[in-house]
Amino acid sequence: MQTDELAERICKGERRALARAITLVESGRADHREQAQALLDRLTRAPGQALRIGLSGTPGVGKSTFIESFGMMLTGQGHKVAVLAVDPSSARSGGSILGDKTRMEHLSRDPNAFIRPSPSQSALGGVARRTREAVALCEAAGFDIVLIETVGVGQSETMVAEMTDLFILLMAPAGGDELQGVKRGIMEMADLILVNKADGDLKPAAERTRADYAGALRLLRRRPQDPEDFPKAICVSAVARSGLDQAWQDMQTLADWRRDHGHFDRRRAEQARYWFGEEVRRGLLARLEEDAEARARMAALGEQVAKGDLTVARATAQMLATLGVHP
Ligand SMILES: Nc1nc2c(ncn2[C@@H]2O[C@H](COP(=O)(O)OP(=O)(O)O)[C@@H](O)[C@H]2O)c(=O)[nH]1
Ligand SMILES: [Mg+2]
């Protein structure tokens, strides 16, 4: 299919065209890459303004169940919801956190929802680019809410926070001592903490946990992008479908406030700048790792350094010069 036709079909909201385009941006082939860029050039000229929501939490906390319930609530209100995933472990397992589509049984059959598993790609940097491009494609296809799910592993949370407007942390009810296990950096990224499983026997523990997180959030430095009362912690139950409307109301309140105060657009601009820098760095590293000539030169110079024939400084300068970098 020609790029023009593909773009046209995506803009009409054709899901198969969207799926195909995402496959294209996920491909490592050079000709696909070129086509993908041409497509994105066309589509980002008329950008859709979806609300991009990042959702993180350790395995088992209820992310998939929450997305099913929350997503169904949103489509029920007339929204079009796209769900993407960033899962660094999927490269190893070959599967995906969204492989458990059974937990999203209804949402995956909803004509107003689109669910796409994580690309199984080894380098997180590669996943980042593909996910960002997939977001742009979903927006062009008319999805007004894009949820990006990630597991609480390594750098994936930072990455997702850098490509979303809101960052939501899903937590399970826990004892007080477990609270300290949450990395401070993750807490600082959170716009909203949802303590899930606030149902049945777990309800009192969930409420205590919520109060603990609320207290911990108050201790953090105030961020300029937050109105009064944010970031906040609330209780939800993905299974009992309670607290979901409150969560959505809080997300909208926060997004609206940020729009009204210029934080929303500023943040997106900063994110674009951030990813530009990341991509340039990634490209440079890729040349070191993938360019056979550069690799051979690295090995040869490394050998000389090991033997003591060359200083580290000289060898570095020579290597960088090979890459066209002159410090
Ligand atoms: N009681 C209760 N269990 C839940 C809730 N949400 C998820 N679970 C259960 O927690 C387990 C893990 O859920 P899942 O959505 O697969 O978690 P994920 O690994 O974060 O995607 C499943 O057995 C769910 O049924 C909830 O709101 N209440
Ligand atoms: Mg899951």
Side-chain angles (χ1 to χ4, degrees), residues 114-321:
F114 178 84
I115 301 180
R116 182 78 178 193
S118 182
S120 17
Q121 246 272 317
S122 50
L124 203 51
V127 176
R129 190 188 71 205
R130 287 162 175 76
T131 309
R132 275 184 301 115
E133 291 176 351
V135 169
L137 294 171
C138 290
E139 291 187 350
F143 289 90
D144 63 328
I145 298 173
V146 180
L147 282 167
I148 307 179
E149 174 186 358
T150 189
V151 285
V153 172
Q155 288 295 296
S156 67
E157 280 154 323
T158 311
M159 209 183 88
V160 169
E162 283 293 346
M163 58 175 80
T164 49
D165 306 311
L166 302 176
F167 189 71
I168 315 295
L169 210 50
L170 209 60
M171 298 286 191
D177 45 341
E178 282 176 65
L179 183 83
Q180 290 160 26
V182 183
K183 286 165 276 172
R184 189 191 167 91
I186 306 293
M187 287 280 284
E188 284 171 343
M189 279 192 282
D191 293 313
L192 188 63
I193 290 181
L194 303 179
V195 181
N196 191 32
K197 310 194 183 183
D199 47 51
D201 293 348
L202 290 168
K203 207 167 176 179
E207 182 45 46
R208 276 198 305 276
T209 304
R210 188 209 64 78
D212 285 346
Y213 284 122
L217 286 172
R218 274 193 295 273
L219 292 179
L220 295 178
R221 188 160 34 90
R222 224 186 121 74
R223 308 179 305 181
Q225 71 270 31
D226 294 327
E228 202 75 48
D229 295 333
F230 280 92
K232 64 157 83 171
I234 66 170
C235 281
V236 298
S237 167
V239 166
R241 309 202 163 189
S242 61
L244 303 181
D245 43 356
Q246 182 63 53
W248 177 229
Q249 221 168 57
D250 286 337
M251 291 180 209
Q252 284 176 291
T253 301
L254 185 55
D256 287 346
W257 189 89
R258 286 181 178 171
R259 277 196 197 94
D260 291 346
H261 292 78
H263 293 290
F264 198 92
D265 291 338
R266 197 175 312 139
R267 177 93 184 110
R268 286 212 175 174
E270 278 167 17
Q271 289 176 338
R273 203 193 304 275
Y274 171 88
W275 286 112
F276 164 66
E278 283 296 302
E279 291 295 329
V280 170
R281 275 185 283 277
R282 212 174 73 84
L284 279 175
L285 280 179
R287 261 195 72 194
L288 263 189
E289 282 154 16
E290 289 154 23
D291 185 319
E293 219 169 289
R295 275 217 318 265
R297 182 118 176 95
M298 267 303 263
L301 287 167
E303 198 55 38
Q304 284 181 273
V305 170
K307 279 193 199 136
D309 294 345
L310 258 182
T311 63
V312 168
R314 282 260 175 260
T316 305
Q318 284 184 28
M319 186 63 219
L320 288 178

Side-chain angles (χ1 to χ4, degrees), residues 63-64 97 100 149:
K63 292 181 298 298
S64 303
I97 37 176
D100 54 350
E149 174 186 358

Side-chain angles (χ1 to χ4, degrees), residues 57-65 67 96-101 103-104 149 151:
T58 49
V61 71
K63 292 181 298 298
S64 303
T65 314
I67 289 172
S96 135
I97 37 176
L98 290 179
D100 54 350
K101 268 200 181 178
R103 295 220 202 285
M104 298 187 218
E149 174 186 358
V151 285

